[in-house]
Amino acid sequence: MTKYNQLLLLGIILFLSINFNCGAQNFTTYFADGKAAYDQQNFNKAIQFFQKARLQGKETIGDTHPDYILDIEYLAKSYQGLKDLGNANIYYMSLEKLLQKSGNTISKKMGDTQEIIASNSVIMKNFAQADVYFQKTLSTREKKEGKDSKEYTLSLHKYSQLYLKGRKYKEAEGMYRQLEPLAEKNLKGTADQAKILAELAEVYLALKRVDEASIQLSISISAYEKTDAPKSSYVHLYLQEANLLEKAGKKEDAITAYYKYIEVLESAFGIKNKKYATEVERLAIHFDEKLHSPMDSYNMMNKKLAANITTYSENSLPAAITYIELAEMEIDQNKIPLAEEHTVKALEIYTELGKVNSPDGIAASITLARVHSILKKNTEAEAMYKKAIADTEKYLSTEHTTYGKSLDSLAFFFIEHKRFEEAEKTIDKGLTAREKSVGKQHIDYGNSLYSLSKLYTAQDSLEKAEKALISVAKVREAYYGALTVEHATCIKELGDLYKGMGEEQQVKALKTYRRAIHLFEGIGYKKSAIVKEIYNSIDEINAR
């Protein structure tokens, strides 16, 4: 080789070396800038630098170099940070191939990468791809950490959740059965183990194995209570347990469980939390309508009052509304002095806030009039009923629902005191107003018809009462539905009417009572006091 050729070759080598070093240096700079942007959670900027590093690095250090592989990993993480899971998975799959190419097929990094791809696929509802990658993950975990390892257990849990979410409950049961002993060994005393137990209960419930679900749920709750997991993360399990006990017909146990749920809900979120107030109110209704326990319903309404007072104040509108709700319950439970105290308190609040002539304020005055009537303060009661009607006309309108309610209340007062002519005029006024404002098919019109049926019954005009009550039943069925307390009660009252209409109507009475029993049983009232009353009436008719 001539001296010239030697110099030329040396120059080429030197040029390539300089370019390689510059390229490698550029890769390092781009990667460092990308990492800095990533650490500041500026993912778009990070992606720009990592992409430049990727292009530069492939030409210089090669795609099996650890730094290049790390760049691809951070590209995937950056897209993950943007919640762009499609692009994230593209680069995680690239990372998987590079790990294989670089001899890291059996590694923790490979298992982690495959699990991320699977989890992202679940979110994107690509369940087939998720299934494939969870299987890959488990294979890698088994070879790297072993089948009895914590890593394998956690990955198997995520794989099991895929079948639970996909509603493949039989397959899910098999996987959770396999998972249980591993969780006992590797996750004992942790929230992860408690969650696995709760999810198995969910599987049993979906398979309609209610007793097993109930037992499993109880075990899960017990496991959660032994962990440091926030109660907010598992408070829903107490509600599920109560629901299952109710479905199993264990009424007293269910009520106890509902109380426990509210106790934990308060502990988890606080009495001022909107969810707490909503739930105690919902359970107040549920205890009354579904579990037929007025006292427990009353207790829940008291909890609602405490929540409203704590959240707003003792003299707030929410507190005033709840005072009236309590008063209505107290009237039904014959706690009249307490009903009077709460109603007066509510009216004081409405007056102080300038809301005494609002719909709620006028409704409160009607409640107080009812209390006065029960206490035989008839003059005060009548005056308050009439004032409620006048205030509704003046401040609301004759088309407002409160107007008809005021007229109905006064009509019942007149009926109770056998002032039938005044009652009829009041009812006619309500029927006319409601027909004009809401029409004859509306429940408000049905309420006026109900008042009319009570008037006819009190006057012993039973055929007229029958006609009115049949119309009420039709309106209630159309408005509420056949299987409702409102409709079933109306059918029961129709049976009572036939029972009092003489011997020729007793067959019709029995037929109507049986229909009422069927309706009440359909809404879970099989063992209720009202159904027992119907059976007693049937026995009386049969004994004649």
Side-chain angles (χ1 to χ4, degrees), residues 11 35 224 307 406 474:
K35 183 65 168 57
Y224 263 118
S406 304
K474 289 178 180 178

Side-chain angles (χ1 to χ4, degrees), residues 213-388:
S214 184
I215 293 168
Q216 190 68 29
L217 199 56
S218 181
I219 293 170
S220 169
I221 289 171
S222 179
Y224 263 118
E225 287 174 341
K226 294 173 184 175
T227 71
D228 294 330
K231 285 184 170 60
S232 58
S233 66
Y234 63 93
V235 64
H236 63 284
L237 298 180
Y238 292 93
L239 179 59
Q240 286 181 15
E241 184 178 38
N243 287 336
L244 283 176
L245 288 167
E246 184 181 338
K247 286 180 181 178
K250 299 175 181 177
K251 174 183 170 180
E252 296 305 321
D253 290 340
I255 289 174
T256 301
Y258 280 123
Y259 274 109
K260 180 65 176 177
Y261 163 61
I262 291 300
E263 178 188 325
V264 177
L265 191 68
E266 180 180 351
S267 177
F269 296 105
I271 197 171
K272 290 185 176 182
N273 188 275
K274 187 177 180 181
K275 181 176 176 63
Y276 175 84
T278 301
E279 282 296 272
V280 293
E281 182 175 22
R282 183 184 68 82
L283 283 180
I285 297 168
H286 187 76
F287 282 150
D288 185 41
E289 294 186 354
K290 299 297 182 182
L291 294 175
H292 326 307
S293 181
M295 280 309 303
D296 290 303
S297 176
Y298 181 67
N299 290 341
M300 283 295 152
M301 196 57 71
N302 270 301
K303 288 181 181 293
K304 179 188 173 185
L305 176 64
N308 283 334
I309 289 173
T310 303
T311 305
Y312 305 103
S313 79
E314 190 175 359
N315 297 315
S316 63
L317 285 176
I321 291 169
T322 312
Y323 278 127
I324 295 301
E325 289 172 332
L326 281 169
E328 292 288 343
M329 289 180 166
E330 286 153 357
I331 290 171
D332 292 339
Q333 294 169 22
N334 202 31
K335 297 177 179 178
I336 307 306
L338 202 51
E340 183 176 27
E341 179 186 328
H342 284 152
T343 308
V344 169
K345 177 65 176 174
L347 280 168
E348 286 173 354
I349 295 170
Y350 286 126
T351 301
E352 183 181 338
L353 297 177
K355 299 288 184 179
V356 74
N357 294 315
S358 68
D360 288 329
I362 294 172
S365 68
I366 295 171
T367 301
L368 186 57
R370 285 182 65 199
V371 171
H372 285 329
S373 180
I374 294 168
L375 292 172
K376 307 300 181 185
K377 298 178 181 179
N378 297 329
T379 303
E380 294 92 328
E382 184 176 348
M384 290 201 74
Y385 282 132
K386 289 180 176 178
K387 185 176 185 304

Side-chain angles (χ1 to χ4, degrees), residues 23-24 26-27 30 51-61:
N26 285 340
F27 169 84
Y30 288 141
Q51 288 288 17
K52 289 179 180 179
R54 179 181 68 84
L55 295 172
Q56 196 72 51
K58 193 167 187 178
E59 299 296 326
T60 53
I61 61 176

Side-chain angles (χ1 to χ4, degrees), residues 492 494-514 533-544:
K492 184 262 181 190
L494 193 56
D496 293 339
L497 193 64
Y498 290 136
K499 181 186 171 187
M501 288 176 73
E503 196 170 322
E504 67 279 2
Q505 294 292 346
Q506 299 312 289
V507 172
K508 192 178 285 188
L510 288 171
K511 183 178 179 181
T512 307
Y513 276 143
R514 290 191 186 101
E533 184 185 332
I534 295 172
Y535 276 116
N536 288 336
S537 295
I538 290 173
D539 289 341
E540 287 177 20
I541 292 172
N542 289 331
R544 290 175 183 174

